C-alpha cells in the first residue's frame, strides 16, 4: 500500500478512536486492535503529528500516581473525519470501476 495513503488512513483511525471521548495511548491502541494493529511508537508519532496539525489537543492528568496524557479531538479533527468520509466515497467509486471487470468475469 502506498505509504502516504496508509499514513492518512492511520491518522483518521486515531482521530476516530478519540472522536467520542478523550483517551490515552494504551486505550487508543486497545480500542483500535479489533480493526488494525498499531505499535506504540507508530501511535505516538501519529499523535504528535495530529497535535501539531491542530487536529487534537493534549492534557496531562495524574492517574495512579503517574502522569497520563489524554488526547482530545478538536473541531478541525472532526471536520477532517467528515472530509475523509467524502473522500472515501470517491475512492470506493474508483475501486468499483477498477474491479468491475473482475466481478463481470466471476
Amino acid at each position: 500500500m502506498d505509504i502516504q495513503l496508509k499514513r492518512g488512513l492511520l491518522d483518521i483511525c486515531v482521530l476516530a478512536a478519540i472522536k467520542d471521548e478523550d483517551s490515552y495511548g494504551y486505550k487508543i491502541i486497545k480500542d483500535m486492535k479489533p480493526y488494525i494493529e498499531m505499535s506504540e511508537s507508530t501511535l505516538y508519532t501519529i499523535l504528535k503529528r495530529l497535535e501539531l496539525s491542530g487536529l487534537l489537543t493534549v492534557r496531562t492528568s495524574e492517574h495512579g500516581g503517574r502522569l497520563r496524557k489524554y488526547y482530545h479531538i478538536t473541531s478541525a479533527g472532526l471536520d477532517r473525519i467528515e472530509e475523509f468520509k467524502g473522500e472515501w466515497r470517491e475512492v470506493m467509486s474508483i475501486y468499483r470501476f477498477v474491479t468491475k471487470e473482475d466481478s463481470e468475469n466471476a
Side-chain angles (χ1 to χ4, degrees):
M1 176 181 288
D2 177 71
I3 192 72
Q4 292 293 40
L5 177 60
K6 186 172 184 177
R7 177 179 166 184
L9 292 174
L10 292 176
D11 288 1
I12 292 296
C13 289
V14 171
L15 289 171
I18 63 171
K19 181 179 67 147
D20 296 325
E21 66 179 340
D22 293 359
S23 194
Y24 54 95
Y26 175 77
K27 185 171 184 320
I28 293 169
I29 288 175
K30 184 178 154 193
D31 291 345
M32 291 174 54
K33 192 169 188 162
Y35 307 99
I36 188 166
E37 292 280 332
M38 183 181 298
S39 69
E40 284 186 43
S41 61
T42 299
L43 173 64
Y44 288 109
T45 299
I46 291 168
L47 288 168
K48 190 64 177 170
R49 182 171 57 246
L50 294 173
E51 179 187 7
L52 292 172
S53 299
L55 301 176
L56 60 82
T57 58
V58 182
R59 69 177 166 83
T60 304
S61 180
E62 188 174 331
H63 178 79
R66 297 179 60 202
L67 291 179
R68 179 183 280 173
K69 287 185 177 183
Y70 286 87
Y71 299 90
H72 174 81
I73 193 167
T74 63
S75 59
L78 292 170
D79 290 346
R80 180 62 195 112
I81 289 173
E82 291 307 310
E83 288 172 21
F84 169 79
K85 289 176 184 178
E87 293 165 357
W88 194 251
R89 282 188 283 277
E90 184 178 355
V91 168
M92 289 307 299
S93 179
I94 292 167
Y95 175 81
R96 283 189 297 277
F97 174 75
V98 169
T99 61
K100 140 180 102 165
E101 272 185 25
D102 297 343
S103 62
E104 290 172 357
N105 293 328

